[in-house]
Amino acid sequence: MSEESKKRILERVEESFTEETDLLTRLVRTKSIIGREQEAQKLYAESCHNLGLSVEMFTPDKNTIKAHPAYTPIDLDYIDRANVIAEYKGSGSGRSLILGGHIDVVSPEPTHQWTHDPWSGEVVGDRLYGRGAADMKAGLAANIYALETLFDLGLRPRGRVIIESTIEEELGGSGGVLACFMHGVTADGMLISEPSKEKIYVTHPGIRYFRVTVQGKTAHAAYSHTGINAIAKMAPIIKAIEALDIERAERLRYPLVEKQTGRPCNLSMGKMQAGDWVSTVAGWATLECRIGFVPGETRQGVEDEIKKTIREATNGDQWLKEYPPKLDWFGWDTDPWMEPTDSTLVKKLQVTGSKVYGAPLELTGASGGLDARFGHYFGVPSLSYGPTGANYHGVDEYVDLPSLMRVTKTLALFIADWCGV
Amino acid sequence: MSEESKKRILERVEESFTEETDLLTRLVRTKSIIGREQEAQKLYAESCHNLGLSVEMFTPDKNTIKAHPAYTPIDLDYIDRANVIAEYKGSGSGRSLILGGHIDVVSPEPTHQWTHDPWSGEVVGDRLYGRGAADMKAGLAANIYALETLFDLGLRPRGRVIIESTIEEELGGSGGVLACFMHGVTADGMLISEPSKEKIYVTHPGIRYFRVTVQGKTAHAAYSHTGINAIAKMAPIIKAIEALDIERAERLRYPLVEKQTGRPCNLSMGKMQAGDWVSTVAGWATLECRIGFVPGETRQGVEDEIKKTIREATNGDQWLKEYPPKLDWFGWDTDPWMEPTDSTLVKKLQVTGSKVYGAPLELTGASGGLDARFGHYFGVPSLSYGPTGANYHGVDEYVDLPSLMRVTKTLALFIADWCGV
């Protein structure tokens, strides 16, 4: 491709960036909390259709995906929850490419802490705010506009390009990218435009969820001394998990992730529920946590560490000796993922980036799990690369719009380079 | 009344006890968790109607009861939630009497811990099991059968007798006994057949509910070190409340309650909720507690003590200094209650009891709040006296059936004595 073509691609992305931002705004305004993705998927499918792609709304089948070793248990059904698979067949021979992204977002609660309506897509300066703005509706918009840019300039990729918008990444992606791969979607490479601060994610930690359940003994609050309070029994476990998180962060090393997040791994408490009535001694308590672990650690090793921590925290408690805390592993359940850093896909994306950034894209690790990990099981080299933003899963999530423009430019150049035009 | 009549009353209660147990079973089998009392109320109203009483289904008006100083805020409306007020006009002059009880019960969760279905009314030996069996459907059955016993024997009370089945006692009774008093129901005395282990409750502690809310800062679990975990921030508060409960029980004295429960007062944690997603740092946590306090303590004093406890528990925490825990007082809100122990009502009930128990009924204190406290505001001497049972608000609640028979005998004799026959 000529330097002139490259220049026109970069200019064209800028020219259509208002439109791209408009699509992003509409995506943010269309709520798509995990499990209720359909309305946003329809909007995305329509955008793909308008681009001239052939669009399939693909509904996964739980029994099919359950059989796969990378399956993460997800307690939702698949009624009105389709993946969007949009295909451009390509004009001839050339490498094929999947441009992927997930449409689902996590709850914006506590919404009263937001200074911008989480469903507004409000723009202040360079920032577009909203739940999912960065994670990852910006990337989904970039995927469409990267391809549209080429089309606008009459550049028809030779290789096949598939744009995917998938569901339930936040729950592990079983019914999303995994299901699409099992459905037969494949290519010579996959890029997922997760918010990566414009670096290339080539690795992420192992991730597991677990739930600690402590049993107490209910009693009327007026006779609370005859009951056993599960909230009080949980307190030392909370302290021990908090301490283990700090100890692990000091003990373990994971350079590619550390340089991204400042931490090799995280052990986090997300949800606690206990008792159901103020005037009854809490008879049960559950605590749900997420643990990230580093290459070299095993799923079993992590499990043993949590068991030991709980055992030591409750050591000497006569009640808990008789009724030991229960430990369940649920939801996200993945080993650490690493893509070879010298693959053609990595090298080509790094070099393409230098056209936009003036230097090759940096390789780094994500601290969260990525849909890109599924590529490994299907022989599809896969990476994540996307815009800069902040407060993913938090209050006042936003995406940096100039970074989104740079990402769109890079993706457009990359499609042209990878697939040929 | 002749000794012969008294003897016949005692015998008649025994003869109809199978029927009484049957009514109790049907009441237990009719779920009446607070807020959904109507079906059980209809059953109770029907039983009163069958007894020949004139029955009113009285629906309280929130604005009316809100104005009363004894009002405890309750966050439920009054659609399909009537009180049953059943009246026997009396055959002539004589003292009037209200026989009261509440139909609402608390949640039976965790039901899997029960060894008897909480809605079965299963009888094993002397025990009838079920949520509400003791607290207080047994008392409600006793009230009906005490009056029925007299009717069966052709003994018509001279004074007016009102049988009440009220709602939401477990939430403070605003829409129940308070509303009925404000509706104009009155009498020369009121007995409420709460499970009192066959003693007479003449006092109960002050009771307040409070909610501690801790604010954290959400973040994706993979960046948990950039968030503030509200669960972890709550842990020292849990420990401090647990310690305060023990300290108060040692420091304070309340003989009438202590001899009943072994404790002068209780501070109990009932419910905790925090965060809403395992993979997001918990951004908030709430802890709901109930504090009982003794005569001599004030509502304000108790409030100050909780404030101080939380302040000291979180002292030195920089985040909580900036975002201090929030303290809300809600629901039950009553000062300690004491009925004069030398009133005619107390004396007469004590003496009546000796016909059944061979000794005057013992005076004691309840550790929980009682609807009887409202009588004070309307010039109606009020007491609680009822059967023996265990595990109120807990797992495997039951009522002791022989105690229910003794209570029914005592109530029947008392109606005859108090109202005249």
Side-chain angles (χ1 to χ4, degrees):
Chain A
M1 191 170 53
S2 68
E3 288 305 313
E4 178 56 24
S5 292
K6 289 177 186 168
K7 190 162 160 277
R8 282 166 59 211
I9 288 173
L10 300 182
E11 285 167 0
R12 183 62 201 159
V13 168
E14 292 184 15
E15 286 161 17
S16 57
F17 195 67
T18 305
E19 271 179 45
E20 182 176 345
T21 307
D22 179 59
L23 172 60
L24 171 56
T25 305
R26 283 183 293 138
L27 286 171
V28 168
R29 288 182 182 171
T30 309
K31 296 183 192 180
S32 55
I33 292 175
I34 311 146
R36 283 164 288 162
E37 301 98 341
Q38 193 77 338
E39 196 188 339
Q41 289 291 64
K42 284 182 182 163
L43 169 60
Y44 198 77
E46 186 192 314
S47 302
C48 291
H49 179 79
N50 292 343
L51 194 53
L53 308 186
S54 98
V55 178
E56 178 187 1
M57 298 293 281
F58 164 59
T59 298
D61 171 66
K62 185 163 281 191
N63 285 329
T64 305
I65 56 180
K66 258 187 173 168
H68 198 276
Y71 176 76
T72 279
I74 294 175
D75 199 20
L76 291 172
D77 62 34
Y78 295 112
I79 297 162
D80 274 340
R81 300 184 60 226
N83 294 289
V84 178
I85 303 171
E87 188 185 32
Y88 168 72
K89 287 214 180 301
S91 61
S93 66
R95 288 191 201 85
S96 56
L97 179 68
I98 300 168
L99 290 170
H102 66 85
I103 195 77
D104 56 302
V105 301
V106 300
S107 162
E109 292 298 335
T111 51
H112 70 272
Q113 289 185 19
W114 287 64
T115 55
H116 307 271
D117 180 341
W119 308 114
S120 67
E122 193 182 337
V123 174
V124 180
D126 284 342
R127 297 176 175 181
L128 188 147
Y129 287 89
R131 170 57 79 238
D135 183 14
M136 59 162 284
K137 292 177 173 177
L140 285 168
N143 291 349
I144 285 187
Y145 275 85
L147 187 55
E148 175 149 344
T149 293
L150 302 187
F151 288 175
D152 286 351
L153 299 172
L155 300 166
R156 312 301 290 184
R158 292 206 307 274
R160 199 160 42 91
V161 179
I162 291 160
I163 292 183
E164 262 183 18
S165 171
T166 54
I167 61 170
E168 69 183 23
E169 187 271 352
E170 300 292 359
L171 292 176
S174 299
V177 171
L178 174 61
C180 291
F181 272 128
M182 293 182 80
H183 184 50
V185 178
T186 188
D188 299 317
M190 174 163 73
L191 292 189
I192 296 185
S193 41
E194 284 272 6
S196 69
K197 298 187 177 165
E198 303 172 77
K199 296 168 186 174
I200 302 176
Y201 283 141
V202 291
T203 183
H204 70 60
I207 294 159
R208 301 192 72 180
Y209 292 168
F210 63 92
R211 184 186 297 112
V212 186
T213 304
V214 167
Q215 181 181 330
K217 186 182 159 205
T218 54
H220 191 298
Y223 287 76
S224 61
H225 53 293
T226 68
I228 300 287
N229 199 306
I231 297 171
K233 294 294 179 195
M234 189 65 94
I237 296 173
I238 294 170
K239 298 301 288 178
I241 286 175
E242 194 186 10
L244 178 63
D245 174 46
I246 292 165
E247 188 273 325
R248 284 174 54 81
E250 280 169 4
R251 168 168 45 98
L252 298 166
R253 292 280 71 86
Y254 193 1
L256 279 172
V257 163
E258 280 175 65
K259 75 173 182 182
Q260 176 78 356
T261 70
R263 260 290 191 94
C265 57
N266 295 70
L267 166 56
S268 173
M269 296 176 282
K271 187 173 177 178
M272 178 166 162
Q273 303 208 282
D276 57 6
W277 180 236
V278 56
S279 188
T280 300
V281 171
W284 54 274
T286 63
L287 176 65
E288 292 185 357
C289 304
R290 173 194 188 276
I291 185 163
F293 52 106
V294 308
E297 287 194 297
T298 63
R299 294 168 61 256
Q300 186 59 48
V302 160
E303 196 167 320
D304 293 344
E305 203 166 292
I306 297 296
K307 273 184 193 156
K308 179 163 169 277
T309 299
I310 294 172
R311 200 170 52 237
E312 288 177 0
T314 56
N315 198 12
D317 186 303
Q318 209 46 47
W319 173 263
L320 292 179
K321 195 172 172 183
E322 199 169 343
Y323 301 93
K326 206 166 130 256
L327 185 59
D328 296 307
W329 299 82
F330 70 103
W332 265 93
D333 187 5
T334 178
D335 278 314
W337 163 72
M338 289 224 51
E339 187 72 19
T341 54
D342 58 355
S343 72
T344 310
L345 185 72
V346 172
K347 292 293 172 204
K348 276 197 172 288
L349 182 58
Q350 283 193 288
V351 170
T352 300
S354 61
K355 298 282 186 307
V356 175
Y357 296 92
L361 289 170
E362 191 184 332
L363 303 186
T364 189
S367 58
L370 295 172
D371 272 346
R373 75 189 187 282
F374 292 117
H376 159 73
Y377 293 92
F378 298 88
V380 179
S382 301
L383 299 173
S384 277
Y385 156 73
T388 296
N391 306 328
Y392 322 148
H393 293 215
V395 163
D396 283 337
E397 175 181 350
Y398 69 85
V399 66
D400 176 78
L401 290 172
S403 81
L404 176 59
M405 187 190 281
R406 290 189 293 271
V407 165
T408 311
K409 287 175 175 175
T410 305
L411 292 178
L413 290 173
F414 183 77
I415 300 169
D417 183 39
W418 181 263
C419 304
V421 285
Chain B
M1 191 170 52
S2 68
E3 289 305 313
E4 178 56 25
S5 292
K6 289 177 186 168
K7 189 162 161 277
R8 282 166 58 210
I9 288 174
L10 300 182
E11 286 167 0
R12 182 62 201 158
V13 168
E14 293 183 14
E15 286 161 17
S16 56
F17 195 67
T18 304
E19 270 179 45
E20 182 176 345
T21 307
D22 179 60
L23 172 60
L24 171 55
T25 304
R26 283 183 292 138
L27 286 170
V28 168
R29 288 183 181 171
T30 310
K31 296 184 192 181
S32 55
I33 292 175
I34 311 147
R36 283 164 287 163
E37 300 98 341
Q38 193 76 339
E39 197 189 340
Q41 289 291 64
K42 284 181 182 164
L43 170 60
Y44 198 77
E46 186 193 314
S47 302
C48 291
H49 178 79
N50 292 343
L51 195 54
L53 308 186
S54 97
V55 178
E56 178 187 1
M57 298 293 280
F58 164 60
T59 298
D61 172 65
K62 185 163 281 191
N63 286 329
T64 305
I65 57 180
K66 257 186 174 168
H68 198 276
Y71 176 75
T72 280
I74 294 175
D75 198 20
L76 291 172
D77 62 33
Y78 294 112
I79 296 163
D80 274 341
R81 300 184 60 226
N83 294 289
V84 178
I85 303 171
E87 188 185 33
Y88 168 72
K89 286 215 180 302
S91 61
S93 66
R95 289 191 200 85
S96 56
L97 179 68
I98 300 168
L99 290 170
H102 66 86
I103 195 79
D104 57 301
V105 301
V106 300
S107 161
E109 292 298 334
T111 51
H112 70 272
Q113 289 185 19
W114 287 64
T115 54
H116 308 271
D117 180 341
W119 308 114
S120 67
E122 193 182 337
V123 174
V124 180
D126 283 343
R127 298 175 175 181
L128 188 147
Y129 287 89
R131 170 58 79 239
D135 184 13
M136 60 163 283
K137 292 177 173 177
L140 285 168
N143 291 349
I144 285 187
Y145 275 85
L147 187 55
E148 176 150 343
T149 293
L150 302 187
F151 288 175
D152 287 350
L153 299 172
L155 300 166
R156 313 301 290 184
R158 291 206 307 274
R160 197 160 43 91
V161 179
I162 291 161
I163 292 183
E164 264 183 17
S165 171
T166 55
I167 61 170
E168 70 183 21
E169 188 270 353
E170 300 293 358
L171 293 176
S174 298
V177 171
L178 174 61
C180 291
F181 272 128
M182 293 183 80
H183 184 51
V185 177
T186 188
D188 298 318
M190 174 163 73
L191 292 189
I192 296 185
S193 41
E194 285 272 6
S196 70
K197 298 188 177 164
E198 303 172 79
K199 296 168 185 174
I200 301 176
Y201 283 141
V202 291
T203 183
H204 71 60
I207 294 159
R208 301 191 72 180
Y209 291 168
F210 63 92
R211 184 186 297 112
V212 186
T213 304
V214 167
Q215 181 181 330
K217 186 181 159 205
T218 54
H220 192 298
Y223 287 76
S224 62
H225 53 294
T226 68
I228 300 287
N229 199 306
I231 297 172
K233 294 294 180 196
M234 189 65 95
I237 297 174
I238 294 169
K239 297 301 289 180
I241 286 175
E242 195 186 11
L244 178 63
D245 174 46
I246 292 165
E247 188 273 326
R248 284 174 54 81
E250 280 169 4
R251 169 168 44 98
L252 299 166
R253 291 280 71 86
Y254 192 1
L256 278 173
V257 163
E258 280 174 66
K259 76 173 182 182
Q260 176 78 356
T261 70
R263 260 289 191 94
C265 56
N266 295 71
L267 166 56
S268 173
M269 296 177 281
K271 187 174 178 178
M272 178 167 163
Q273 302 208 283
D276 56 7
W277 180 235
V278 56
S279 188
T280 300
V281 171
W284 55 274
T286 62
L287 176 65
E288 293 185 356
C289 304
R290 173 193 188 276
I291 185 164
F293 52 106
V294 308
E297 288 194 297
T298 64
R299 294 168 61 256
Q300 186 59 49
V302 161
E303 196 166 320
D304 293 344
E305 203 166 291
I306 297 296
K307 273 185 193 155
K308 180 163 168 276
T309 299
I310 294 173
R311 201 170 52 237
E312 288 177 0
T314 56
N315 199 12
D317 186 302
Q318 210 46 46
W319 172 264
L320 292 179
K321 195 172 172 182
E322 200 169 341
Y323 300 94
K326 206 166 130 255
L327 185 59
D328 296 306
W329 298 82
F330 70 102
W332 264 94
D333 187 4
T334 178
D335 279 314
W337 162 72
M338 290 225 49
E339 187 72 19
T341 53
D342 58 355
S343 72
T344 310
L345 185 72
V346 172
K347 292 294 172 203
K348 276 195 172 288
L349 182 57
Q350 283 193 288
V351 170
T352 299
S354 61
K355 297 283 186 308
V356 175
Y357 296 92
L361 289 171
E362 192 184 333
L363 303 186
T364 189
S367 58
L370 296 172
D371 272 347
R373 75 189 187 282
F374 292 118
H376 159 73
Y377 294 92
F378 297 88
V380 179
S382 301
L383 299 173
S384 277
Y385 156 73
T388 296
N391 306 328
Y392 322 149
H393 293 215
V395 163
D396 283 337
E397 175 181 350
Y398 69 85
V399 66
D400 176 78
L401 290 172
S403 81
L404 176 59
M405 187 190 281
R406 290 189 293 270
V407 165
T408 311
K409 287 175 175 175
T410 306
L411 291 178
L413 290 173
F414 184 77
I415 301 169
D417 182 40
W418 181 263
C419 304
V421 285

